[in-house]
């Protein structure tokens, strides 16, 4: 080997060492990135499972709670000491959102964990809680959560029902300022009291539930040092989706409710509309409020007879259907005559003593934030004028799942 050749060996070795070091570094970074990616993939899969389970719970609520309507969501698991994964029986004040661990047992699941092995957390909007319930539960029920990533809103809502009704959180690895403990008595770590444990797990959620109409929740990034929460959410549109609206049991519930309300205003002992606006000979308003036990007793004493079975059934119907009352206008001829008209779906015009008008699902261009008093936000075509001027109503009496926006008219003869 010549002196010149020996002189080339050292630079060549240095180049090889540099290349090898770079490869090791690159390989290490790639491996780390792959680990993060796999954990994130596992997290997203579990969030999707939780999201699907919440929708299924809301869409089957009448089966687990007979006599009640679709749409309600469970309370979070706010105190694991009472049973890991069980929804709290009551969660906070009416209208206030609630936050805690995901009630996996109540949803029929095993404990769902993110890619870092942490149990999922869950927040439910006040109007969607099953206890205490809000005044309404229908396809217009407003959500409460706006989801951001600090730079933009991830669920921009043109209407209040498009805000998130529930959010599932994956806490990810603990950050520098978070101390998490294990609890040998429970499957999920941290203090059994979710309010105490929350700050050690979530960065993007407020600790104090409120009743404000919009609560901001922030999604983080897996590798972030300030917020690494991953989020998934559902809205009223996800619960009352096209599949539910066309399902035979949902169709039957809407038709049964409309028929029973027609019977209720026929037989109720005090059938006049409440909060009524006079339109010529017609009162336009809301259904009578269901009578309490003390009010029934006072009425029976006044008329010196007990309520009939039909009157009691009418009162029960008004109470059970109350979550949907925001979808109705109730019109009644003040003198008891048949001063209203309804052109049914065959075109035959029928005289009516009263009309029960059900607004279908919101159209994209309708803003229902002002409630049923905004007639054009709920009804379409001739029915807008019919409610405003007591002219002829038009439309079918029965609900069709493939046309959920159609106004439905019940005529009391």
């Amino acid at each position: 080997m010549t002196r010149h050749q020996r002189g080339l060996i050292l630079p060549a070795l240095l180049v090889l060492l540099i290349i090898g070091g770079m490869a090791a570094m690159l390989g290490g970074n790639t491996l780390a990135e792959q680990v993060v990616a796999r954990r994130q993939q596992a997290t997203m899969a579990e969030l999707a499972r939780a999201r699907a389970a919440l929708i299924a719970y809301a869409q089957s609520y009448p089966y687990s709670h007979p006599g009640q309507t679709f749409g309600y969501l469970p309370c979070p698991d706010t105190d694991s000491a009472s049973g890991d994964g069980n929804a709290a029986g009551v969660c906070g004040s009416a209208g206030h959102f609630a936050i805690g661990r995901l009630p996996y047992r109540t949803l029929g699941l095993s404990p769902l964990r993110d890619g870092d092995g942490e149990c999922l957390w869950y927040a439910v909007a006040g109007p969607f809680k099953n206890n205490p319930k809000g005044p309404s539960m229908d396809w217009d029920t407003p959500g409460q959560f706006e989801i951001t990533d600090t730079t933009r809103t991830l669920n921009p809502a043109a209407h209040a029902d498009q805000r998130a009704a529930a959010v599932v959180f994956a806490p990810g690895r603990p950050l520098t300022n978070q101390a998490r403990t294990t609890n040998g008595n429970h499957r999920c770590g941290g203090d059994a009291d979710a309010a105490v444990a929350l700050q050690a797990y979530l960065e993007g959620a407020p600790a104090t539930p409120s009743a404000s109409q919009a609560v901001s929740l922030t999604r983080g990034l897996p590798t972030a040092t300030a917020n690494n929460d991953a989020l998934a959410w559902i809205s009223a549109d996800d619960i009352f989706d096209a599949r539910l609206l066309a399902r035979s049991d949902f169709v039957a519930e809407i038709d049964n409710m409309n028929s029973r309300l027609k019977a209720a205003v026929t037989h109720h002992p005090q059938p006049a509309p409440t909060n009524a606006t006079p339109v010529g000979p017609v009162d336009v308003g809301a259904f009578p409020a269901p009578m309490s036990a003390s009010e029934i007793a006072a009425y029976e004493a006044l008329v010196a007879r007990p309520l009939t079975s039909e009157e009691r059934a009418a009162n029960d119907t008004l109470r059970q259907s109350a979550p949907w009352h925001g979808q109705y206008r109730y019109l009644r001829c003040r003198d008891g005559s048949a001063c209203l008209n309804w052109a049914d779906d065959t075109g035959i015009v029928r005289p009516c003593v009263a009309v029960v008008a059900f607004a279908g699902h919101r159209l994209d261009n309708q803003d229902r934030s002002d409630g049923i008093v905004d007639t054009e936000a709920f009804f379409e075509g001739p029915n807008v004028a019919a409610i405003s001027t007591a002219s002829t109503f038009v439309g079918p009496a029965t609900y069709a799942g493939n046309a959920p926006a159609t106004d439905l008219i019940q005529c009391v003869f």
Side-chain angles (χ1 to χ4, degrees), residues 367-413:
D367 180 358
R368 294 182 169 180
S369 56
D370 290 333
I372 193 70
V373 294
D374 184 357
T375 303
E376 292 186 4
F378 284 80
F379 296 92
E380 297 81 44
N383 293 330
V384 174
I387 291 171
S388 303
T389 65
S391 56
T392 301
F393 283 86
V394 176
T398 56
Y399 173 82
N402 61 354
T406 302
D407 301 339
L408 306 179
I409 309 299
Q410 296 287 328
C411 174
V412 178
F413 302 112

Side-chain angles (χ1 to χ4, degrees), residues 4-82:
H4 175 71
Q5 289 173 324
R6 285 196 300 271
L8 294 174
I9 290 176
L10 185 57
L13 287 173
L14 288 172
V15 170
L16 288 173
L17 287 171
I18 292 170
I19 293 173
M22 291 178 64
M25 290 175 60
L26 291 172
N29 287 344
T30 301
L31 181 60
E33 290 169 357
Q34 289 175 351
V35 170
V36 170
R38 282 198 296 270
R39 287 177 177 170
Q40 182 68 358
Q41 188 176 33
T43 293
M44 299 311 293
E46 295 299 84
L47 287 173
R49 285 185 64 195
R51 184 178 183 277
L54 288 167
I55 293 172
Y57 181 95
Q59 291 184 342
S60 61
Y61 197 79
Y63 295 98
S64 57
H65 300 78
Q68 300 191 45
T69 192
F70 299 89
Y72 291 107
L73 291 166
C75 287
D77 174 2
T78 56
D79 184 4
S80 295
S82 64

Side-chain angles (χ1 to χ4, degrees), residues 139-152:
W139 42 44
D140 293 333
T141 299
Q144 200 168 355
F145 303 116
E146 292 181 350
I147 317 299
T148 73
D149 64 0
T150 72
T151 61
R152 61 194 174 103

Side-chain angles (χ1 to χ4, degrees), residues 39-219:
R39 287 177 177 170
Q40 182 68 358
Q41 188 176 33
T43 293
M44 299 311 293
E46 295 299 84
L47 287 173
R49 285 185 64 195
R51 184 178 183 277
L54 288 167
I55 293 172
Y57 181 95
Q59 291 184 342
S60 61
Y61 197 79
Y63 295 98
S64 57
H65 300 78
Q68 300 191 45
T69 192
F70 299 89
Y72 291 107
L73 291 166
C75 287
D77 174 2
T78 56
D79 184 4
S80 295
S82 64
D84 231 3
N86 293 318
V90 180
C91 46
S93 303
H96 289 226
F97 78 86
I99 189 166
R101 295 178 178 91
L102 183 74
Y104 61 85
R105 288 186 194 275
T106 301
L107 296 172
L109 301 168
S110 57
L112 299 187
R113 300 180 184 273
D114 63 21
D116 290 281
E118 298 289 359
C119 287
L120 302 185
W121 286 62
Y122 160 67
V124 57
F128 283 86
K129 294 189 306 188
N130 67 351
N131 196 16
K133 291 181 172 67
S136 68
M137 175 48 65
D138 56 42
W139 42 44
D140 293 333
T141 299
Q144 200 168 355
F145 303 116
E146 292 181 350
I147 317 299
T148 73
D149 64 0
T150 72
T151 61
R152 61 194 174 103
T153 301
L154 301 176
N155 64 332
H159 308 285
D161 58 280
Q162 294 173 329
R163 294 195 195 110
V167 180
V168 185
F169 303 81
R173 58 182 170 75
L175 301 181
T176 304
N177 62 339
Q178 291 177 325
R180 299 179 183 175
T181 60
T182 57
N183 190 330
N185 298 321
H186 307 291
R187 293 187 177 187
C188 297
D191 195 286
D193 186 338
V196 174
L198 186 144
Q199 294 299 318
Y201 288 86
L202 303 182
E203 305 81 54
T208 305
S210 69
S212 61
Q213 282 302 301
V215 176
S216 180
L217 304 176
T218 306
R219 184 181 71 179

Side-chain angles (χ1 to χ4, degrees), residues 3 22 76 92 94 125 153 185 200 214 223 237 254 256 327-328 354 380 402:
R3 184 179 300 167
M22 291 178 64
T153 301
N185 298 321
T223 57
D237 287 347
I254 297 298
N256 181 54
Q327 299 291 318
Y328 288 91
E380 297 81 44
N402 61 354

